[in-house]
Amino acid sequence: MAITSGQITVGTSRSQVDGCSHNPSRLHVHNNDNTNDLFLGGATVTTSNGLRLAKLESIELELNPGEALYAISAGGSHAVSWLRQTMD
């Protein structure tokens, strides 16, 4: 089992939260912003169709091999932290 982590800045264009894994994994995402909501989803995520992650909230998702998570914000320079636990 491997654990990786990082931070990205998300704006009004969708951004991939972390790369795709070739193994099943758990991805923990935290909205670091104390003002704006974050929206999560697949490659076509928008602020209208994404899963809302409110300011300072976290979520943990289980991803299958090859799946990727994307994020978008209604504002710019939105800080997001992530932690991935990859299953062997």
Side-chain angles (χ1 to χ4, degrees):
M1 171 173 45
I3 296 176
T4 55
S5 62
Q7 294 186 356
I8 63 169
T9 302
V10 176
T12 56
S13 297
R14 68 176 164 74
S15 299
Q16 191 172 353
V17 174
D18 181 32
C20 296
S21 175
H22 296 293
N23 295 315
S25 61
R26 287 191 186 105
L27 185 62
H28 182 91
V29 179
H30 179 72
N31 180 356
N32 295 348
D33 199 278
N34 62 4
T35 306
N36 295 309
D37 294 337
L38 184 68
F39 298 87
L40 304 173
T44 60
V45 69
T46 67
T47 56
S48 299
N49 67 15
L51 174 69
R52 183 178 69 88
L53 187 61
K55 59 184 180 179
L56 302 176
E57 286 191 346
S58 297
I59 190 170
E60 185 173 285
L61 303 166
E62 292 194 20
L63 301 177
N64 292 316
E67 288 183 329
L69 181 69
Y70 291 84
I72 191 168
S73 173
S77 300
H78 197 128
V80 177
S81 297
W82 57 268
L83 183 137
R84 181 185 291 269
Q85 180 183 18
T86 303
M87 312 303 168
D88 295 331

